[in-house]
Every structure is written in structure tokens, then in C-alpha cells.
């Protein structure tokens, strides 16, 4: 890229051959636009190729927050304009498909805006920052199966051995007693296999 751009990376993933995939964004210092950026290196960290995603017409912002390596390529968790998105590419960076979901917000207490985890069956569990923290389960093609909204600044969601999930972030969490005069608070929220767990969540998609 020219000197008009600054490059920022948010996440890194490792391939079976020990090469690396890096995701983030580039900022155009002239136009002040943000563009999603992915780059692949060899096992020594030497760049092999890089791709900048041109924003759709009228949009001035896109950014990659996390990446998952699949047998067919990469799935990037991103924000395009003001919406959470998944973008799948080949190992060469060529886009295969993209999905756009709900409005994506900004975290007050954390430095992340989402994490994606590929599950053993090839589907995905996603933590994203919306009006509240959101947990989303998609199929292998990125289509939502369910979405749950959790009242906390979500950082990550991981599968548990019983088939459910545990979300982590910063509280307070609805229905949980808070520690006086201490904000933020560490929050952990256990769900079943469909994201249910009690009064702390608001289901967005049944």
C-alpha cells in the first residue's frame, strides 16, 4: 500500500502448514476511510499476499476482528458499516460468500468487538458487540440458527463439554448481584445448546 495508508491487525490464525493469516483494517490517512484487510504469510512470517476489501458504495468503514481457518479457506468476523458480518474467502483471499447480521455497537470496557469459533461440525459460534452482547450460532454457511442477547460487554464465547456455551465479558449482568462501586465487573454466563440460560438473556431469533 502507499504511504496514504496505516495498517492495523486485530487477530491472527495459524494454518496446518504453519503459515499465518492476519486480519484487521487499513486506514486511509487522506479520506479517513477504514477498509477490511487480510494478509497471509509463510511459516517465517514473510508476507505471501494481502487483500484490502473495498467498501461498498457509500460506506466508509469496514474492519476485521477475528478469523477462523476452515478446510476450504478463511471465515472473517467483521464489521461493515454498522453491521456485524461474516466473510468467507479462499486460501488465496478471493471472496466466496458474505453474510450480514444485526447492528454492531462499540464496547465501553473492552478492546474487542467480537470473536468467532469454529465448532467440530463446521458451524460457528460468535460473540459480537451489539446493543448488548450477542451470542450467535450459525450453520457451516454462516446462516443464523439462533441469536441471544446478553446484557454485558461480551468478549468471547466458548463451547462447553455438555453441548452448551459459556460467554465471558464485563458486567453487570441482569439478574446477578453486583459488587458495589466497582465497574466494570468480570462476567461469565453459562447457556444451553441454544443459548438459553434464564432471565439474563433476550432471545432475538427463536
Amino acid at each position: 500500500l502507499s504511504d496514504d495508508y496505516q495498517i492495523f491487525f486485530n487477530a491472527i490464525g495459524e494454518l496446518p502448514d504453519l503459515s499465518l493469516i492476519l486480519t484487521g483494517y487499513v486506514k486511509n490517512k487522506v479520506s479517513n476511510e477504514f477498509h477490511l484487510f487480510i494478509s497471509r504469510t509463510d511459516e517465517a512470517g514473510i508476507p505471501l499476499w494481502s487483500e484490502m476489501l473495498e467498501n461498498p458504495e457509500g460506506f466508509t468503514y469496514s474492519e476485521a476482528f477475528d478469523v477462523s481457518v476452515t478446510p476450504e479457506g478463511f471465515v472473517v468476523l467483521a464489521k461493515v458499516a454498522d453491521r456485524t458480518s461474516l466473510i468467507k474467502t479462499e486460501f488465496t483471499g478471493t471472496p466466496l460468500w458474505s453474510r450480514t447480521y444485526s447492528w454492531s455497537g462499540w464496547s465501553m470496557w473492552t478492546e474487542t468487538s467480537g470473536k468467532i469459533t469454529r465448532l467440530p461440525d463446521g458451524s460457528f459460534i460468535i460473540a459480537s458487540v451489539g446493543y448488548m452482547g450477542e451470542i450467535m450460532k450459525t450453520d457451516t454457511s454462516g446462516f443464523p440458527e439462533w441469536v441471544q442477547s446478553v446484557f454485558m460487554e461480551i468478549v468471547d464465547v466458548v463451547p462447553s463439554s455438555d453441548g452448551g456455551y459459556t460467554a465471558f465479558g464485563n458486567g453487570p449482568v441482569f439478574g446477578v448481584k453486583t459488587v458495589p462501586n466497582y465497574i466494570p465487573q468480570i462476567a461469565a454466563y453459562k447457556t444451553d445448546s441454544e443459548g438459553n440460560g434464564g432471565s439474563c438473556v433476550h432471545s432475538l431469533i427463536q
Side-chain angles (χ1 to χ4, degrees), residues 99-121:
R99 311 277 183 250
T100 300
Y101 311 108
S102 61
W103 175 82
S104 180
W106 296 95
S107 175
M108 182 182 299
W109 305 112
T110 67
E111 295 294 330
T112 179
S113 288
K115 291 288 185 181
I116 181 172
T117 299
R118 184 173 179 268
L119 301 173
D121 64 357

Side-chain angles (χ1 to χ4, degrees), residues 7 11-12 15 21 25 35 37 47 52 55 73 77 79 83 87 89-90 108 110 113 115 125 127 163 169 203:
I7 301 174
I12 185 170
L15 280 72
I21 182 73
Y25 65 97
H35 299 267
F37 187 74
M52 181 179 74
N55 294 333
L77 175 63
K79 185 187 290 185
R83 301 180 73 85
I87 301 168
T89 77
E90 296 177 343
M108 182 182 299
T110 67
S113 288
K115 291 288 185 181
I125 188 73
S203 179

Side-chain angles (χ1 to χ4, degrees), residues 15-16 21 40 49 69-74 89-94 96:
L15 280 72
I21 182 73
R40 186 172 178 180
W49 54 258
V69 178
T70 78
E72 305 84 24
F74 310 113
T89 77
E90 296 177 343
F91 287 115
T92 58
T94 303
L96 294 173

Side-chain angles (χ1 to χ4, degrees), residues 34-143:
F34 291 69
H35 299 267
L36 184 151
F37 187 74
I38 59 176
S39 181
R40 186 172 178 180
T41 78
D42 63 16
E43 67 276 11
I46 298 172
L48 299 175
W49 54 258
S50 298
E51 291 288 340
M52 181 179 74
L53 177 69
E54 291 289 347
N55 294 333
E57 186 176 354
F59 291 166
T60 60
Y61 173 85
S62 64
E63 180 177 354
F65 295 112
D66 200 11
V67 61
S68 178
V69 178
T70 78
E72 305 84 24
F74 310 113
V75 176
V76 177
L77 175 63
K79 185 187 290 185
V80 178
D82 59 354
R83 301 180 73 85
T84 299
S85 302
L86 283 188
I87 301 168
K88 185 168 186 177
T89 77
E90 296 177 343
F91 287 115
T92 58
T94 303
L96 294 173
W97 52 254
S98 64
R99 311 277 183 250
T100 300
Y101 311 108
S102 61
W103 175 82
S104 180
W106 296 95
S107 175
M108 182 182 299
W109 305 112
T110 67
E111 295 294 330
T112 179
S113 288
K115 291 288 185 181
I116 181 172
T117 299
R118 184 173 179 268
L119 301 173
D121 64 357
S123 62
F124 300 96
I125 188 73
I126 297 167
S128 63
V129 177
Y131 173 69
M132 296 185 285
E134 290 182 3
I135 306 170
M136 178 168 58
K137 171 73 165 56
T138 78
D139 64 14
T140 57
S141 298
F143 291 107

Side-chain angles (χ1 to χ4, degrees), residues 136-203:
M136 178 168 58
K137 171 73 165 56
T138 78
D139 64 14
T140 57
S141 298
F143 291 107
E145 295 180 351
W146 52 259
V147 181
Q148 298 282 15
S149 185
V150 185
F151 190 81
M152 70 174 174
E153 297 275 338
I154 199 164
V155 173
D156 200 1
V157 58
V158 297
S160 52
S161 59
D162 62 358
Y165 303 94
T166 305
F168 297 94
N170 292 312
V173 177
F174 277 150
V176 178
K177 187 176 181 179
T178 61
V179 180
N181 303 319
Y182 188 77
I183 298 176
Q185 300 152 9
I186 296 172
Y189 180 71
K190 179 70 172 64
T191 82
D192 64 13
S193 62
E194 295 186 348
N196 299 305
S199 60
C200 301
V201 300
H202 174 67
S203 179

